[in-house]
Amino acid sequence: MRKLKKYVPTKFKAKDSKYDKTKADYAVSFIECLCHTKGTWAGEPFELIDWQEQIIRDLFGIIKPNGYRQFNYAYVEIPKKQGKSELAAAIALYLLCGDGEERAEIYGCAADRQQASIVFEVAADMIRMCPALNKRCKILAATKRIVFLPTNSFYQVLSAEAYSKHGFNIHGVVFDELHTQPNRKLFDVMTKGSGDARMQPLYFYITTAGTDTKSICYETHQKAKDLLEGRKIDPTFYPVIYGADVDDDWTDPKVWKKANPSLGITVGIDKVKVACESAKQNPAEENTFRQLRLNQWVKQAVRWMPMEKWEACKSNFKPEDLKGRVCYGGLDLSSTTDITAFVLVFPPTEEDDNYYILPYFWIPEENMEARVNKDHVPYDVWQRKGYIETTEGNVIHYGFIERFIEELGKVYNIKEIAFDRWGAVQMTQDLDNMGFTVIPFGQGFSSMSPPTKELMNLVLGKNIKHNGNPVLHWMMDNVCVRTDPAGNIKMDKSKSTEKIDGAVALVMALDRAIRNNKNDGESVYDKRGLLFI
């Protein structure tokens, strides 16, 4: 048996737990008696890579004073092509055949039956390649079930459609690609009390990073991060995350190695390099590369705004520097319990050909704490630092915002305020009574496409300046756009997984600023037409 060059038990080993080398060696030996099942490795012995062996020794070798395993939950988040399916299948087979548990129930779970079958098929092939297991196991391919005859234990595939089934007596669960779970129903059924009758059940979650920050996977990811960074303590939970940090250079081969512990073994660096070069040429592929190759949680499948370009437009101007200047407002009220955004855009002057942005945001005060916990968004920190305001109660107080805008009108020369024509009827009437010119603004392609494309052009040309407001930065990073057959685009709230209200308000304000910023009697749209990006 090959041994890990240097095994050091995880830092999450409890003080009263101990490392049992005999148990760890047994688990490693069992798995390394199996064979790989795919590609050039097919038929070769399953020799654990160091990072895999570390996990096996930690999970099966660290025991409590009563002799049972310390860890009941394991979360392993890692990029694609690192050997996830093989490791998951090997662990499922060990729980089924090597753990000595009578009538053990092992379940393989995924978003759908096809996904769940991936690990099952690997496990079935491993059994067929191992004479000792092949004699003792019965593979029922039609029902995706494997029975281990000596203990009358079974491994059964389940999918998200099976969430209504109860009565499980679980010894082990392998959740493959947890980030694809459509909701938390199956997860809750399989993990909440289902293993109470067992002494050492193991819930093993293995996944690549996802895009939905409201998913059960992201919730589990956050718990793992909290444990890794010392913000929480849970001796039953084993966290492993391989990935690039937010500030890492995604084009750096050193970052690739950091995020991919099997690089050069299960996946060649040349494959990653080709994928990176493709992402450089096509920004739409960047998020896919970050998610699948670097294991970074991204906002949506296709990021619209290149955030490094947005950051390059940051300027240290102060709001008072713009006092008295002409500007145009965009108002996005969303709903009474959501974020309200008001953005002022200051068009170029003869002395300065840049557009300047001042954003303002409001949320209800009473539900802020609940939203911080639910959305994992630091509204409370932004509020303390003055980047977002709260209004009394549990819904947006429109009167407060109206008075705020009225005061802004005394500082800046607000020529027009654009608003969504399907909302804010009462507020726009109130603003009109205050003397503001309010302009209804449609949210369809014809209205939104020209200023949305112009915004991108201004950002790429560094002709728009913002003061680094983190709320607006977050919203710009959230934007997903929809394209119609004619090539028109608009920001899509239904596809964007997080809030984009500030971005929408910015586009509306920018449209009014461009149309009214005369250059020899013409707006930029009239002078050179639309830009297609």
Side-chain angles (χ1 to χ4, degrees), residues 36 66 108 121 144 284 304 335 342 433 510:
H36 288 283
N66 61 8
E121 296 296 344
K144 305 299 180 185
W304 177 67
S335 69
F342 182 66
N433 293 335
L510 180 62

Side-chain angles (χ1 to χ4, degrees), residues 217-262:
C217 186
Y218 190 74
E219 180 181 315
T220 312
H221 162 87
Q222 285 297 106
K223 179 174 182 177
K225 281 196 66 177
D226 287 342
L227 290 168
L228 288 167
E229 296 171 9
R231 292 187 293 270
K232 289 182 179 178
I233 298 174
D234 184 347
T236 69
F237 194 101
Y238 181 74
V240 176
I241 297 178
Y242 284 98
D245 293 328
V246 175
D247 298 329
D248 285 343
D249 179 2
W250 63 277
T251 66
D252 187 348
K254 292 180 181 178
V255 175
W256 306 346
K257 181 63 178 176
K258 168 186 172 183
N260 294 265
S262 298

Side-chain angles (χ1 to χ4, degrees), residues 210-221:
T211 61
D212 184 1
T213 56
K214 291 183 173 61
S215 65
I216 182 59
C217 186
Y218 190 74
E219 180 181 315
T220 312
H221 162 87

Side-chain angles (χ1 to χ4, degrees), residues 67-83:
Y68 294 108
R69 291 191 288 266
Q70 174 186 320
F71 298 109
N72 300 119
Y73 304 88
Y75 178 80
V76 179
E77 186 181 291
I78 195 164
K80 65 180 291 188
K81 302 301 180 184
Q82 302 300 298

Side-chain angles (χ1 to χ4, degrees), residues 3 23 38 54-55 90 150 156 161 206 234 270 308 325 327 382 404 417 483:
K3 294 182 179 179
K23 289 182 181 291
K38 296 179 180 179
Q54 178 77 39
I55 291 172
Q156 178 69 57
E161 297 90 359
I206 192 161
D234 184 347
D270 57 320
E308 69 278 5
R325 280 184 54 171
C327 60
W382 291 338
F404 186 92
I417 297 176
T483 305

Side-chain angles (χ1 to χ4, degrees), residues 417 425-438:
I417 297 176
V425 175
Q426 184 59 52
M427 178 178 282
T428 54
Q429 290 178 352
D430 294 340
L431 292 174
D432 182 71
N433 293 335
M434 293 176 184
F436 292 105
T437 300
V438 288

